[in-house]
């Protein structure tokens, strides 16, 4: 580790970095931390943050006191955050030379903090490593560009592009529609290249001003770090061009939702894809992996659909999967197996929303497949044709139902820390309670003069 820290020191000095943004991800996926002068960062080689940061909600509130004190020291002590030399990125939009460094979190005894999202993913990856396996993932991130708006009561609107007009209608895969925002995406690509992000393609998705960025396949932890950084980068590039970028799962009424599709496969120590037999057919491990996804995604759905808004994406006729059926080359089911050669055989989990914490969504997806492989869980029969109407493997319909199901799934305690499950469910329930206190425009429109 010391040699890697020396490399980090050299990297910062070579680029004349004057400030370091020291980051961790909270449960929601918000980057929290401190900004430090480089010389202080190099002297301290880490930072302290209150443990309570990990139980903060998206609204800035905290969980109920009884759960808070069950999970954390009543004195609100600090946790120790150490930089990962393999998770260092430039901040190209900053005025001064600035870097962002993702940290891991530990208690004072040096044990990983159990409710840290990055530690959860590392825990799952160790399970794979202990079996001689390495997961390979390739995320696809969908998002919307919108007009900037200061009033949260107003619906989002498509932004005005280079032509001076708003986009109308569905423009799936349109090159010209994507080029309406060419200056924005030029900055985004330049900044991502400066940060070493492994971007593949840019696609105009089905929704109005909805885009998708695909990442090249790679190691799971590194890709989760990249998604955290990419979201910050995309928002900054949009703001520079006086529009907004949102990763909400369902930002616009009548438009498709935004997903974080996860392609996943597993290789052994020789680099062979264990999802394929030597004759090129599907292996039993592959089928068990799919079986695990089918059984446990509904139990871990809050890690894929973490917000009240997330479940609007699963409504009928929204272009999103509504079950955990699987099929080959079938985009109407939750688990798609793309057509590929045997070495690239993989399954695409189409259920995570773009609003999911990347560490937790990737960890949960890989964990479901892992349990399937070690417990030899059989999959259902693959779906041929339209899968939306299949009702046997439906998902929980609300966040409330999904949280209850996750909380009561005792099988998960063999693999995930009970402290993490308790903390995550408590944070989401606190957010949900806050949501229920807000009166919506629908209520004002239809109830004001009618009831």
């Amino acid at each position: 580790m010391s040699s890697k820290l020396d490399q980090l020191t050299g990297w910062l000095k070579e680029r004349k970095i004057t400030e370091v943004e020291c980051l961790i991800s909270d449960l929601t996926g918000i980057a929290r931390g401190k900004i430090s002068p480089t010389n202080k960062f190099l002297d301290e080689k880490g930072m302290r943050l209150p443990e309570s940061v990990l139980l903060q909600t998206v609204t800035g509130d905290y969980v109920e006191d009884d759960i808070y004190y069950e999970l954390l020291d009543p004195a609100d002590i600090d946790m120790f955050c150490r930089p990962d030399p393999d998770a260092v990125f430039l901040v190209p939009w900053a005025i001064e030379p600035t870097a962002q460094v993702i940290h891991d979190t530990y208690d004072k005894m040096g044990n990983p903090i159990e409710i840290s999202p990055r530690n959860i993913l590392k825990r799952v990856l160790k399970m794979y490593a202990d079996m001689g396996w390495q997961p390979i993932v390739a995320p696809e991130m969908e998002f919307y560009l919108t007009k900037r708006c200061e009033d949260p009561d107003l619906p989002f609107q498509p932004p005005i592009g280079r032509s001076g007009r708003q986009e109308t209608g569905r423009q799936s895969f349109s090159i010209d529609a994507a080029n309406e925002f060419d200056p924005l995406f030029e900055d985004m690509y330049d900044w991502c290249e400066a940060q070493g992000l492994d971007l593949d393609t840019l696609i105009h998705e089905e929704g109005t001003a909805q885009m998708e960025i695909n990442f090249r396949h790679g190691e799971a932890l590194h890709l989760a770090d990249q998604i955290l950084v990419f979201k910050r980068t995309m928002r900054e590039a949009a703001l520079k061009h006086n529009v907004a970028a949102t990763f909400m799962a369902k930002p616009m009424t009548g438009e498709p939702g935004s997903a974080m599709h996860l392609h996943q496969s597993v290789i052994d120590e020789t680099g062979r894809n264990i999802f394929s037999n030597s004759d090129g057919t599907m292996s039993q491990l592959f089928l068990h992996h799919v079986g695990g996804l089918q059984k446990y995604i509904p139990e871990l759905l809050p890690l894929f659909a973490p917000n009240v808004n997330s479940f609007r994406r699963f409504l009928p006729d929204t272009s999103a999967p509504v079950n955990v059926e699987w099929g080959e080359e079938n985009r109407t089911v939750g688990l798609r197996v793309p057509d590929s050669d045997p070495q690239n055989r993989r399954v695409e989990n189409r259920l995570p929303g773009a609003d999911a914490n990347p560490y937790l969504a990737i960890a949960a997806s890989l964990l479901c497949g892992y349990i399937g492989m070690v417990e030899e869980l059989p999959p259902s029969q693959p779906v041929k044709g339209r899968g939306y109407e299949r009702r046997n493997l439906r998902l929980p319909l609300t966040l409330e139902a999904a949280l209850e199901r996750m909380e009561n799934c005792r099988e998960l305690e063999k693999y995930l820390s009970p402290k993490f499950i308790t903390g995550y469910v408590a944070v989401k329930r606190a957010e949900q309670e806050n949501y229920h206190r807000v009166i919506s425009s629908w209520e004002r429109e239809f109830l004001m003069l009618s009831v």
Side-chain angles (χ1 to χ4, degrees), residues 2-17:
S2 60
S3 62
K4 284 198 170 186
L5 288 174
D6 290 341
Q7 291 176 17
L8 172 56
T9 300
W11 189 93
L12 295 171
K13 290 183 175 179
E14 179 184 336
R15 289 161 178 79
K16 297 180 172 59
I17 299 297

Side-chain angles (χ1 to χ4, degrees), residues 80-281:
F80 296 80
C81 307
R82 300 175 190 163
D84 183 342
D86 293 324
V88 182
F89 306 88
L90 288 173
V91 184
W93 57 85
I95 296 173
E96 296 293 328
T98 304
Q100 49 191 325
V101 182
I102 298 172
H103 287 53
D104 286 313
T105 55
Y106 303 87
D107 64 21
K108 62 183 178 182
M109 304 299 293
N111 302 308
I113 298 290
E114 293 180 64
I115 56 177
S116 159
R118 199 168 193 260
N119 287 342
I120 291 293
L121 177 53
K122 292 173 79 171
R123 177 181 179 136
V124 172
L125 294 178
K126 185 177 185 306
M127 296 179 197
Y128 275 85
D130 289 344
M131 299 292 290
W133 298 333
Q134 181 187 351
I136 302 297
V137 301
E140 300 173 351
M141 294 298 299
E142 296 174 344
F143 58 94
Y144 275 87
L145 298 177
T146 74
K147 277 187 175 181
R148 293 176 68 170
C149 179
E150 297 178 0
D151 188 346
D153 276 340
L154 297 178
F156 293 137
Q157 293 186 41
I160 295 173
R162 291 188 303 156
S163 66
R165 301 182 63 183
Q166 286 180 306
E167 184 179 309
T168 57
R170 300 291 172 88
Q171 301 291 340
S172 302
F173 295 96
S174 168
I175 300 298
D176 291 337
N179 284 341
E180 279 285 286
F181 306 99
D182 195 48
L184 186 161
F185 288 120
E186 287 292 336
D187 281 337
M188 181 272 292
Y189 268 114
D190 288 345
W191 290 352
C192 288
E193 183 177 356
Q195 294 172 107
L197 304 189
D198 296 324
L199 301 192
D200 191 358
T201 54
L202 167 68
I203 299 168
H204 192 299
E205 260 294 343
E206 185 178 350
T208 306
Q210 185 188 30
M211 308 294 171
E212 176 182 288
I213 288 287
N214 296 335
F215 286 77
R216 286 190 283 270
H217 65 274
E219 192 272 327
L221 183 64
H222 190 46
L223 265 300
D225 289 337
Q226 290 191 51
I227 294 171
L228 183 74
V229 172
F230 170 73
K231 281 186 165 185
R232 298 188 76 206
T233 304
M234 190 65 243
R235 291 191 187 105
E236 289 288 340
L239 290 175
K240 178 180 175 182
H241 292 270
N242 201 34
V243 300
T246 179
F247 293 89
M248 286 176 62
K250 184 73 170 177
M252 292 188 185
T253 301
E255 295 286 352
S258 291
M260 176 170 57
H261 297 155
L262 295 174
H263 293 250
Q264 57 196 66
S265 59
V266 183
I267 60 174
D268 63 16
E269 292 163 327
T270 70
R272 182 184 66 86
N273 187 339
I274 67 171
F275 284 174
S276 295
N277 294 316
S278 57
D279 63 359
T281 58

Side-chain angles (χ1 to χ4, degrees), residues 9 44 67-68 98 107 122 182 184 190 213 238 243 263 331 375-376 394 407 410 445-446:
T9 300
E44 296 183 355
I67 296 175
Y68 184 97
T98 304
D107 64 21
K122 292 173 79 171
D182 195 48
L184 186 161
D190 288 345
I213 288 287
V243 300
H263 293 250
R331 286 186 169 86
E375 297 187 1
E376 300 183 354
R394 300 283 289 196
E407 187 176 42
R410 293 290 167 255
E445 180 176 354
F446 293 103

Side-chain angles (χ1 to χ4, degrees), residues 308-352:
V308 173
N309 179 260
S310 310
F311 284 78
R312 300 187 190 282
R313 183 173 151 254
F314 298 138
L315 294 173
D317 301 318
T318 57
S319 302
V322 293
N323 54 46
V324 286
E325 299 280 2
W326 75 286
E328 296 182 72
E329 273 303 292
N330 192 333
R331 286 186 169 86
T332 70
V333 295
L335 303 170
R336 169 179 171 253
V337 178
D339 184 27
S340 65
D341 60 71
Q343 181 58 23
N344 292 310
R345 177 169 280 122
R346 61 196 184 276
V347 58
E348 177 192 9
N349 181 355
R350 297 175 61 79
L351 291 162

Side-chain angles (χ1 to χ4, degrees), residues 260 262 264 303-304 349 352-353 356-366:
M260 176 170 57
L262 295 174
Q264 57 196 66
L303 302 184
F304 304 113
N349 181 355
N357 181 315
Y359 298 104
L360 296 180
I362 292 173
S365 194
L366 294 177

